[in-house]
Amino acid sequence: MKAVKNTVKAVVIAAAIAITATTAMAAGAKIFVIGGKADDPFWSRVKKGADDAALAVKAGGGTVTWLGPQNYDNLGPDAAKLIRTALSQKPDAIVGPDWVPEAMDAAFKEVVAAGVPLIIYNAGGMEAAKRLGAQNYVGSDEFVAGSGGGNYFAMQGAKNVICVNTLPGAKNTEARCKGVADGIAKGGGKSTQLPLPSSSFGNPTAVAQAIKAALQKDTTIDGVITISAGDATSAAAGISQAGVAKTVKLGTFDMDPTNLQRIKDGTQLFCIDQQPYMQGYLAVSLLNGYVKYGLRVPTTPLLTGPGIVDGSNVDATIAGATAGAR
């Protein structure tokens, strides 16, 4: 009889453990992702990566919520509000870019102080992740990416490049332009930044007119690089309007189908790819694995770029873009 009671007791305990485990599994991971505007072509690729990773999160009973600003006019403070909004929802984990440290770091530190796992992605680098107490950084090293672009310009014979920055003050865009200057300087050229008001971001007319004016003012400029794919299209228009399409080479950070087609047609020199899809996918996947199973990867940072897309590899890249992942 005692053996039977012990057996029944063991079965009850096992059932209770199984129910508890099932409940925990059903709860899943509640992950919040801070990102860019919904209509920003670059961030739509990051979001696709996050959305694809969210399929596994949802299959495990969890959720992934995307939070982005309405515009970039007040980027740092607005992003800090989004971080605090996410924290107020009692999340299991948060992903976010450290765009403007002086405005955002306090909010990120609140996340870590609350014991919420954090991954910094896209902007800030591993230095920001360490400073803030985040688990990892997923993305590109912006200075290294810029340096690669500057070096590529130099290899193609450019001597005087302007880096058009429509988000001046943002740590990632500033690092990009500084990297370009460093890279081309090693090849005997120079690069200066053309900072434009953040309200110019996404305003094709304003960006095109500013670039046209800069090219007409300094006829020695033989290269233009922009900090986003959308701005590159505006730059192409400004270069054309200035009548210098044959002498001024165009490059950009990031890319979209229009940029890729210009590379294929020979009217744009290159794009610097940081694989935004992978940033969203990996950041969400890593945190889901940690929350659900305690998994951690030993590689820090987890870099997704940079890579140069030019005439030699544009066709393969176009295939990826057609699928919405490049």
Side-chain angles (χ1 to χ4, degrees):
M1 179 66 71
K2 185 176 181 180
V4 171
K5 288 182 178 179
N6 287 340
T7 300
V8 171
K9 184 177 180 181
V11 170
V12 170
I13 292 173
I17 292 173
I19 291 171
T20 301
T22 301
T23 302
M25 288 291 286
K30 187 178 180 182
I31 301 172
F32 282 78
V33 183
I34 313 302
K37 291 169 54 182
D39 61 351
D40 183 325
F42 173 86
W43 282 99
S44 70
R45 286 160 175 75
V46 180
K47 188 174 185 300
K48 177 173 173 54
D51 288 346
D52 283 356
L55 296 175
V57 179
K58 293 174 183 176
T63 60
V64 175
T65 303
W66 182 275
L67 298 176
Q70 295 297 312
N71 55 58
Y72 298 137
D73 294 347
N74 198 33
L75 184 60
D78 285 350
K81 290 178 183 177
L82 293 176
I83 296 166
R84 292 188 171 102
T85 295
L87 184 59
S88 72
Q89 300 303 304
K90 301 186 183 305
D92 291 310
I94 291 177
V95 179
D98 195 24
W99 284 316
V100 187
E102 58 270 25
M104 300 171 64
D105 280 8
F108 278 131
K109 288 178 181 178
E110 290 172 21
V111 171
V112 175
V116 176
L118 171 69
I119 281 183
I120 299 298
Y121 79 147
N122 178 256
M126 197 61 208
E127 183 275 329
K130 289 180 179 178
R131 184 180 71 248
L132 297 169
Q135 288 190 358
N136 209 336
Y137 170 74
V138 178
S140 179
D141 184 309
E142 303 292 11
F143 182 84
V144 172
S147 183
N151 180 64
Y152 189 82
F153 263 126
M155 290 173 61
Q156 301 302 315
K159 296 295 183 184
N160 184 9
V161 173
I162 57 172
C163 183
V164 183
N165 190 352
T166 50
L167 290 174
K171 187 172 182 178
N172 59 329
T173 61
E174 293 289 340
R176 288 179 173 189
C177 287
K178 288 178 182 177
V180 171
D182 179 78
I184 196 170
K186 292 177 180 177
K190 68 174 184 177
S191 177
T192 55
Q193 185 176 153
L194 177 63
L196 302 179
S198 58
S199 58
S200 297
F201 188 91
N203 185 332
T205 301
V207 176
Q209 288 298 314
I211 293 172
K212 175 185 175 182
L215 294 173
Q216 291 178 331
K217 182 178 180 180
D218 184 352
T219 58
T220 68
I221 295 172
D222 55 8
V224 174
I225 188 167
T226 61
I227 56 97
S228 75
D231 284 342
T233 296
S234 304
I239 291 170
S240 177
Q241 292 166 16
V244 293
K246 292 183 178 180
T247 58
V248 175
K249 300 175 175 66
L250 174 62
T252 187
F253 289 86
D254 308 323
M255 61 193 183
D256 61 20
T258 304
N259 281 266
L260 295 176
Q261 190 59 50
R262 279 197 299 267
I263 292 175
K264 187 173 179 64
D265 293 341
T267 58
Q268 181 169 325
L269 187 59
F270 71 98
C271 294
I272 302 174
D273 183 21
Q274 60 173 300
Q275 300 189 116
Y277 174 92
M278 292 302 294
Q279 293 177 15
Y281 187 88
L282 291 173
V284 170
S285 297
L286 289 173
L287 284 175
N288 182 53
Y290 178 74
V291 172
K292 293 278 287 182
Y293 312 115
L295 298 172
R296 294 284 294 267
V297 296
T299 304
T300 58
L302 200 57
L303 297 181
T304 62
I308 297 292
V309 177
D310 59 12
S312 68
N313 58 358
V314 69
D315 287 336
T317 306
I318 288 174
T322 301
R326 294 295 295 275

